[in-house]
Amino acid sequence: MIYSGKAVSAQLLDDGIAELKFDLQGESVNKFNRDTMEDLGKAVEALKADSKVKGVIVTSGKEVFIVGADITEFTDMFKQTEEEIAGWCIKANQVFTAFEDLPVPTVCAINGIALGGGLEMALTCDFRVMSSQAQVGLPEVKLGLFPGFGGTVRMPRLIGVDNAVEWIAAGGQHRADKAIKDGVVDAVVEPAVLRDAAINLVKECLAGKIDHMAKRNEKLVALTLPAMENMMAFQTSGAFVAQQAGKNYPAPMAAVNVMQQHATMTRDKALEAEAKGFAKVAKTPQATALVGLFLADQAVKKTNGKFVKAGAGNLNQAAVLGAGIMGGGIAYQSAFKGTPIIMKDIADKALDLGMNEATKLLAKRVDRKKMDAAKMGKTLSMIRPTLNYGDFDNVDVVVEAVVENAKIKQSVLAEAEGKLKDGAILASNTSTISITSLATALKKPENFAGMHFFNPVSMMPLVEVIRGEKTSDTTVATLVKYAQKIGKNPIVVNDCPGFLVNRVLFPYFGGFGMLMRDGADFQAVDKVMEKFGWPMGPAYLMDVVGIDTGVHAAQVMAEGFPERMQYDFKDVSTVMFENERYGQKNGAGFYKYEEDKKGKPKKVVDETTYELIKPHVAERKEFDADEVIARMMIPMCTEIVRCLEDNIVGSAAEADMAMIYGVGFPPFRGGPLRYIDSIGAKEFVALCDKYAHLGGIYEAPQLLKDMAAKGQSFFG
């Protein structure tokens, strides 16, 4: 053994070829943490000092190669100054360049996922051989960063500017065919022969058949394109990246700029430029939010894992009660992810609608070449439409998705309960009705909970699993497991009006209603909030959700929280509802909707809206963008703090991720609680006080006041 550490080992094989193996002890995957970096440095020194070493292969002792840097270490590191962060990058790169400069040929055997620092490690080798089952990529831009271990330096020198910009600025994860086509790897082989292929490639270098130094030198010098061609390549690709990324995500464009900056430099100078650029983006609020988002997502997955381990039941057969668009969407999602599902309704027409919805969603996948016709047929065969309860004695979980009416739901749930085997789980896909009250119709309320899907089911990642007063832990665990199995991100919440997402969303709509009452232009508010980062402004969002649905939900919220959500004015959404303007679903809401060339609804301004609301609003006036943002965001943020205060949601991470998954809260802001952190609890309370005269939704909750007094934040 040449070297043996906690994360990296090096041993001599036959013919003077050494194997440098990554195998981080106590972890299921390899990642670049402090231990790995320290080990790699020592292993490289040992390899360099051993005269018997004639060549090196780099391998992994795990199913993945290396998943990247340990992001849990970023939070503390990014609190340092730009100079300190850049220094960290330079120190890390000294280890990578020491490996790259070994006086022997080096070949990397990429057996599984190699992302971020994992791929950057592979790029330091002279050659890369990849398993046909592996995937590689540089996804750092998704964290508001760009590669900092030499990725922006080596990639353009190996594969050219255009390809490098695509790989780095888009942050994709690519299969072997793309990797070899673009020149990121030199060979693709079947997994069984990967290690042998890497060894053979080293032997060919040693035999003089392949000039490994010529390949290595490409990475050590400036880009070889003439200066004018370089400039044109960066300008063209940069313009495209700027358009795609937008102003709220600076990392992709920063990556392009740093690549252009160091294009004329040799490797070591280029790495210094990369380090400075990396440090700059690491200090942006977007990087703080997106790294925080990644960590919150991991925390939610860990929490859900604990729920499932606590005792989830079997999930071999599902059923959905109520076909139609929602039922068809749930049936599609279950079948597509491999769980057979029975779809029951009381009318053939409804079953046809549900099957048509599933067929339409699958046909889209076929059109986009993401699925072949045979797979589509097989998936459809896993959905069994029926008018009776014939096979319900074999069902493990049933999701009720009938009309949003408490009496009808209770009747359907009670009827279904009588047809199920012992231990089968019942869930209601209600968006507003109390789970505890629905459970009063059941003989076994412990086997019942809420399972709130968001529309459209196929696209929205969130499922709220709602615990009623009598819901058992096994029921929660089973529904969390089912949500995960069908490709959704579950968040467990306790029962209350609106549960978590709608309870928090409707004060936001309340803020919009007050702005309109006071003379704001709904189009102007939409533009401000879209610029803030929302995928659509509040008026447009209401139209998409359905104004009739929104008005019904607002009534539920008003009954549940009258001190905050019952308003003493006629809301403009009520005016739309009374005039049968329900939004996209019937072609007119705040906006009018016409079909575009692709047959999708396109919003256009409708002067009728202004005429209808005129008797109920003040004379139109212009509001400052900061005031619009404050009046829209304070109600959402204060309500989500109250949900934490009331134990509706278990953690700040779950609360933020629910809003990201469920309503498209701007990811680069990290979620409502992280948004409060970015302002500061004390400053946010002062902002609440400024607008408290507008009503209860603007008042700072006690939890937030206490945090402000103690100088605390939701995320350390």
Side-chain angles (χ1 to χ4, degrees), residues 382-401:
M382 293 174 75
I383 305 172
R384 203 178 339 151
T386 182
L387 296 171
N388 59 62
Y389 286 102
D391 294 315
F392 268 60
D393 57 354
N394 193 39
V395 169
D396 299 305
V397 61
V398 180
V399 181
E400 166 274 307

Side-chain angles (χ1 to χ4, degrees), residues 105-128:
T106 57
V107 176
C108 187
I110 304 172
N111 63 312
I113 290 171
L115 299 176
L119 180 53
E120 287 174 290
M121 176 65 212
L123 292 174
T124 64
C125 294
D126 298 325
F127 297 99
R128 286 151 297 285

